[in-house]
Amino acid sequence: MRAVVVGAGLAGTECAYQLAERGVRVTLLEQKPVKRTPAQHSDFFAELVCSNSLRGAALTNAVGLLKEEMRRLGSLVMRVADETRVPAGGALAVDREKFGQALTRAMHTHPNIEVRCEEVTRIPSEAPCVLATGPLTGDALAADLARIVGSEHLAYYDAIAPIISGDSIDWDKVFRASRWDKGGDDAYVNCPLSKDQYAAFVEALLAAEKVEAREFEKIKYFEGCLPIEVMASRGPKTLSFGPMKPAGLTDPRTGRWPGAVVQLRPEDHEGAAYNMVGFQTRMKFPEQKRVFAMIPGLENAEFQRFGSVHRNTFVNSPVALDDTFQLRAAPNVYLAGQISGVEGYVESAACGLAIGALLGARLHGHAPPAPPRTSALGTLLGHLRKPDKNFQPTNVIWGMFPPLEPNPEYDRDKGKKRALMVERALTDLESWRACLDLSKDGKSMSTHAEVSLG
């Protein structure tokens, strides 16, 4: 049994691993190090090009539930994330270099995976094939996909936050704290601004030169990852209720909340680099250096990476894909990850996990059902099957889950309701896992789950 996976991002590495763990011989095609996309900066697989955060860790968050489901399904991405995590309060953030190194090593050392580094410009003829080429699918491959699908593929712009050197921060002007003291007091570095400093910052931000779109007259941003200048243009207080929100952050020097706050999250355990949380931007590089120098503590900041904007490509999944996530116009060609219409690191990896597990089972002659809609994984994949005239990528959110039966005991208690939804999801997921992990001889999947992560 053989399969081809194109792309070694989060979805591709997870998909290849799930297939390989089920005894499928996988050819993993990845263009690094032959070629990189404009958003990539390293030759590691599963590169986290934007933030190093996999978002909320608690089960009270829909994405936290999704991560727990992935752990229970034997996710390689989640195992590596847990092993390379760095302090991030209530979020799961990772050392992106160690994370990428470990996943790259896992792909190269798995006995059922052959890695071939080459640019793919056409959908491979070998079947089955999984396309997991991510939001920056190359122009030639995207054109070939559009030709086969027979309908226009969609695109919007995404943005990346800057990373600064830890030793360039003025530590006398910042303080360490997590919002509402969640996750300890060492997770975030906070740069406090007074109300006057905040107003001056917003004014400079709006006036700064921006990188304009070349190919699209109208830029369509993902609402969950807006550039800060776009948020600021919606009103002078918008940022103070968004990434610069001071609520829950008490400055120990004043005993009060600042007028606004810029949070920095560590990129590694050593604190050598920090990500500017929520500060995606399309300002020109010199403007970023000038405007961000107005933030207390960052007057002399050295940027390891400036913020930038990039294109994101995906298909209209409800139209293009069938119920097994194959292209209707090209059976045996599957889509996984962001190109299929999910959004976010965790969601992309989860999609790759599901496609790999389901395809692996089918190659063994089984026909397992899709994940239960009551689970986070099932409700996420359900989004790809729901007809929508204006289909857009999405993160997993509670509003997507099937509602609980009305009950006066918890209808007004959101926490209790979420707890019951989590319990329902994990119970139903366990039943699905039991029927999923059957190999050809009827035994549970075996295997190389102990691939060394170094």
Side-chain angles (χ1 to χ4, degrees), residues 173-194:
K173 296 183 179 180
V174 302
F175 65 95
R176 292 184 183 273
S178 293
R179 199 177 305 278
W180 306 113
D181 296 325
K182 292 183 179 180
D185 61 359
D186 62 344
Y188 290 90
V189 172
N190 300 280
C191 305
L193 292 83
S194 67

Side-chain angles (χ1 to χ4, degrees), residues 24-56:
V24 179
R25 304 289 293 181
V26 179
T27 300
L28 178 60
L29 304 178
E30 166 56 44
Q31 67 180 12
K32 289 182 178 181
V34 176
K35 184 178 181 180
R36 296 180 188 170
T37 70
Q40 292 170 330
H41 297 269
S42 84
D43 289 331
F44 295 136
F45 296 171
E47 181 180 356
L48 305 181
V49 299
C50 186
S51 166
N52 67 326
S53 173
L54 275 64
R55 312 201 321 277

